[in-house]
Amino acid sequence: MARRARRTPLEKYQDELAEVQATIGQYQDCLKTMEEKRQELEDRILMEKFREVNTLLEGQNLSMDDLKELLTGEGGEEGTRTQIA
C-alpha cells in the first residue's frame, strides 16, 4: 500500500489558515444574525412602549396632539391642563 508523502509545514499552515478563515466566516455570520436579532428586539421594545403610552392616552381620552401640548407646554392655561393619572 502506497503511503502519502508527509505534509510539509507549508501545507499544514495553509490547511490551518483555511480552517481559521472558515471559523471566522461562521462567527461573522453568527454576529450578523445576532445584530439583526438585537435590532428586532429593540424595535419590539419600542413598539410595546408606544402601545403602553397609547393605552394611557385612550384611558384619559387624550389624543397624541393633546400629549404633545402637555409635553411642550403649548396651548391652554396652566390650570386647565388635563393631568394623566
Side-chain angles (χ1 to χ4, degrees):
M1 177 188 272
R3 296 182 94 190
R4 182 174 181 261
R6 288 189 164 207
R7 292 182 346 171
T8 65
L10 175 61
E11 291 173 322
K12 290 177 184 178
Y13 294 141
Q14 288 172 333
D15 289 345
E16 187 175 355
L17 176 60
E19 288 178 25
V20 168
Q21 288 172 326
T23 302
I24 289 171
Q26 291 172 347
Y27 279 113
Q28 287 172 334
D29 291 344
C30 184
L31 183 59
K32 181 180 177 186
T33 301
M34 295 306 293
E35 285 291 335
E36 290 169 356
K37 179 75 172 180
R38 178 192 57 82
Q39 185 62 49
E40 179 184 330
L41 289 169
E42 287 177 352
D43 291 345
R44 286 183 179 184
I45 289 169
L46 186 60
M47 287 303 299
E48 195 58 38
K49 287 179 179 181
F50 283 134
R51 281 190 191 111
E52 289 177 9
V53 169
N54 192 49
T55 300
L56 289 172
L57 289 174
E58 288 174 354
Q60 296 292 323
N61 199 27
L62 296 171
S63 68
M64 283 294 215
D65 289 334
D66 294 333
L67 178 61
K68 182 180 176 183
E69 287 180 18
L70 286 170
L71 294 175
T72 60
E74 296 174 0
E77 293 291 320
E78 188 70 30
T80 61
R81 289 188 184 163
T82 306
Q83 282 190 337
I84 298 176

